[in-house]
Amino acid sequence: EMATQAKGLLSEECRDALNKVASYELHVSDAYLSMACYYIEDSEAPTFHSFFQDQADVKREHAKQFIKYLRKYKCKICLPVIKRPDIDNWGTGKQAILSALELENVLNTLLQDLKASASRNRETNLLRFMKKYLDEQTRNISYLEYQLNYQKELETSAQSEGQPENVAGPSGASGQKTESAGNSPSPPAQKIPKPAP
């Protein structure tokens, strides 16, 4: 196996899995860009708006890293085409977070598949290379799940008080504290996960 790696070859299984991951990273980046732009003119932009903006760039950068890895091993770049998300109205904050979670979970599955392929083919360099991306997925998914629970709490409190729903969450951009009405939940204090360097 070491001889295979020394010659600069990756197993076909790993090549295919790497191309899939790179393509899906670009797909997720596009979706996050669409979500970030949806909230851009909104003075009441939700706290996770900056996460969407940040991840649009981060995922594109990840795609570049996976493509560079393929090139380093002189592999053919053949990114499968993925249908772009056709939602241009992300509606409530909850809907946007659910969409983001779905994307991150699919990406996580593709990364786990790549890891399994790398293990089967004893591609130790690839396993080392991708560890930080798997770690980051875990952080992103837990951040989004946290935000989703907060959005659900907001909905519940809005309904129990008989007020119109405002599920976008308080704006974190202005730095001003929003008045908390009655017993509505306080915004999540969890920090936005930082991308791996």
Side-chain angles (χ1 to χ4, degrees), residues 132-150:
K132 69 174 183 179
Y133 300 103
L134 278 165
D135 292 346
E136 201 168 308
Q137 277 311 106
T138 307
R139 287 197 301 273
N140 284 358
I141 288 168
S142 74
Y143 171 79
L144 286 166
E145 283 171 347
Y146 192 77
Q147 288 286 351
L148 182 62
N149 288 332
Y150 172 59

Side-chain angles (χ1 to χ4, degrees), residues 46-188:
T47 46
F48 46 81
H49 166 246
S50 53
F51 173 79
F52 292 165
Q53 280 185 310
D54 180 53
Q55 286 300 307
D57 296 335
V58 168
K59 300 294 192 213
R60 189 158 292 272
E61 188 50 44
H62 285 183
K64 277 157 68 174
Q65 295 306 320
F66 282 106
I67 291 167
K68 271 187 191 167
Y69 192 90
L70 281 161
R71 290 191 67 82
K72 179 175 142 186
Y73 285 91
K74 308 209 167 16
C75 300
K76 188 177 177 190
I77 312 297
C78 182
L79 305 179
V81 176
I82 300 167
K83 184 181 180 297
R84 293 294 173 242
D86 52 6
I87 303 171
D88 58 2
N89 175 359
W90 294 98
T92 65
K94 191 170 108 176
Q95 186 185 340
I97 292 174
L98 279 167
S99 300
L101 251 177
E102 194 181 322
L103 291 163
E104 294 285 3
N105 280 320
V106 171
L107 180 56
N108 195 47
T109 302
L110 289 172
L111 284 165
Q112 293 293 349
D113 290 349
L114 174 58
K115 184 184 175 183
S117 298
S119 295
R120 267 195 302 277
N121 292 280
R122 295 183 176 82
E123 307 274 12
T124 48
N125 290 344
L126 180 52
L127 286 167
R128 272 198 300 273
F129 166 77
M130 64 177 299
K131 183 183 182 306
K132 69 174 183 179
Y133 300 103
L134 278 165
D135 292 346
E136 201 168 308
Q137 277 311 106
T138 307
R139 287 197 301 273
N140 284 358
I141 288 168
S142 74
Y143 171 79
L144 286 166
E145 283 171 347
Y146 192 77
Q147 288 286 351
L148 182 62
N149 288 332
Y150 172 59
Q151 293 299 312
K152 285 176 179 169
E153 280 177 38
L154 270 184
E155 272 188 2
T156 308
S157 71
Q159 283 162 3
S160 66
E161 290 166 24
Q163 295 172 342
E165 278 182 31
N166 175 15
V167 289
S171 169
S174 64
Q176 294 168 340
K177 284 192 173 153
T178 46
E179 288 297 313
S180 133
N183 59 357
S184 60
S186 54

